[in-house]
Amino acid sequence: MRVYGMPDFGPRYVSPQEIMEANNAYAAENRKIFNDLGVFALNMMGSPGSGKTKLLETMLPLLQQRIRVAVIEGDLATAKDARRIAGCGVSVVQINTGGEGHLDAQMINRVLSGFYLEDIDMLIIENVGSLISPASFDLGADRRMVVMSIAEGEDKPSKYPTAFLYSHMAVLNKIDLLNVLDIDLDIMQKDIAEINPEINVFATCCRHGEVLGVDALADHLVSLVKDKIRNRE
Ligand SMILES: Nc1nc2c(ncn2[C@@H]2O[C@H](COP(=O)(O)OP(=O)(O)O)[C@@H](O)[C@H]2O)c(=O)[nH]1
Ligand SMILES: [Mg+2]
């Protein structure tokens, strides 16, 4: 919900609950559209620079061999990420939020008509780069995934637990940097398991020529998408 200008009868207070209720109504509508059309939606979150777009660029060719994928890109400004994804031959819509640090369900709802959803098995939504507010806004996706670069520091999952608490998958990216950083991957994994014992953790490297772990993540995602397709039949 947005309040443009001030109504005649004076300022109106829009409570956080009202904002969340309005968001949840759109999220429910999105979920219904995804379920009616058999589209598996993934809400992908993580800090700026954690490697979300790079992970997509690396993983999309593996996914496209087995399922039909489209992407929504969220950023404050520019269509740079959408251009990168379009380079993989995938349908993509870029949403620029201006100042907002997250995508909300209404923004997703507004761009869904830009896709031929009947011809898509999976819609991946790369959220605005942040470990904080994206985790609070349900988009109506089937699953949530948080991507963190190990270079962000091993203490970050415990300092920013919300995204890990609400995600089904966590990706620890840039493991090629283990050689040059004083990072203990075990501490990160232990902290994540403490925040959310159910979460599936994947360690990846997306660096050209050194790709690691992306095939295991792609396999996991394809099996989730195929489960949804099977349950619908
Ligand atoms: N060394 C290394 N660099 C990576 C890896 N994954 C991504 N990067 C780099 O990290 C930077 C940020 O990646 P980007 O995909 O734009 O991050 P996003 O903001 O989360 O979408 C880019 O320069 C990527 O090439 C990785 O696994 N290893
Ligand atoms: Mg990006």
Side-chain angles (χ1 to χ4, degrees):
M1 181 185 287
R2 294 196 175 71
V3 180
Y4 297 106
M6 215 176 266
D8 292 342
F9 49 83
R12 188 170 114 69
Y13 172 66
V14 180
S15 69
Q17 284 89 336
E18 282 178 276
I19 292 172
M20 282 307 166
E21 276 167 26
N23 184 75
N24 290 344
Y26 276 106
E29 203 177 297
N30 294 346
R31 192 167 282 116
K32 182 167 180 350
I33 293 170
F34 297 142
N35 288 341
D36 286 351
L37 298 176
V39 177
F40 179 98
L42 178 71
N43 179 3
M44 189 175 174
M45 302 173 284
S47 307
S50 54
K52 299 180 294 301
T53 313
K54 184 73 177 170
L55 178 62
L56 285 182
E57 289 176 298
T58 312
M59 189 166 59
L60 281 171
L62 301 177
L63 296 177
Q64 282 173 292
Q65 287 166 13
R66 297 149 78 186
I67 52 175
R68 300 165 300 174
V69 191
V71 173
I72 294 175
E73 281 292 339
D75 263 314
L76 263 66
T78 88
K80 287 184 179 190
D81 282 1
R83 279 197 283 273
R84 288 167 64 184
I85 298 302
C88 302
V90 170
S91 294
V92 57
V93 170
Q94 178 84 51
I95 299 174
N96 281 156
T97 63
E100 296 242 38
H102 57 263
L103 295 173
D104 65 36
Q106 185 178 7
M107 296 176 193
I108 300 302
N109 191 265
R110 281 178 61 183
V111 302
L112 288 182
S113 59
F115 295 99
Y116 293 107
L117 288 176
E118 292 84 353
D119 297 337
I120 292 170
D121 301 314
M122 181 182 202
L123 179 65
I124 303 178
I125 304 165
E126 181 183 335
N127 218 309
V128 178
S130 164
L131 276 177
I132 307 169
S133 61
S136 303
F137 284 79
D138 182 10
L139 303 181
D142 293 81
R143 292 286 194 282
R144 289 179 291 274
M145 180 167 95
V146 55
V147 181
M148 170 171 277
S149 147
I150 62 159
E152 292 171 54
E154 66 206 1
D155 58 348
K156 295 307 176 294
S158 51
K159 286 172 75 174
Y160 298 90
T162 327
F164 293 89
L165 187 62
Y166 292 122
S167 288
H168 304 85
M169 290 155 267
V171 178
L172 300 178
N173 189 34
K174 308 196 188 182
I175 55 168
D176 53 303
L177 300 179
L178 274 173
N179 306 328
V180 288
L181 296 169
D182 289 329
I183 294 287
D184 188 335
L185 205 56
D186 289 342
I187 292 179
M188 261 180 151
Q189 282 171 325
K190 195 172 138 288
D191 285 354
I192 293 170
E194 246 166 54
I195 297 162
N196 180 353
E198 307 293 320
I199 201 166
N200 284 301
V201 181
F202 297 85
T204 59
C205 169
C206 299
R207 193 153 181 238
H208 188 67
E210 288 179 50
V211 174
L212 283 172
V214 180
D215 48 354
L217 177 61
D219 285 349
H220 183 71
L221 290 171
V222 169
S223 74
L224 292 173
V225 174
K226 291 201 167 163
D227 280 351
K228 180 159 184 174
I229 295 170
R230 214 172 296 121
N231 290 336
R232 208 170 153 257
E233 284 163 0

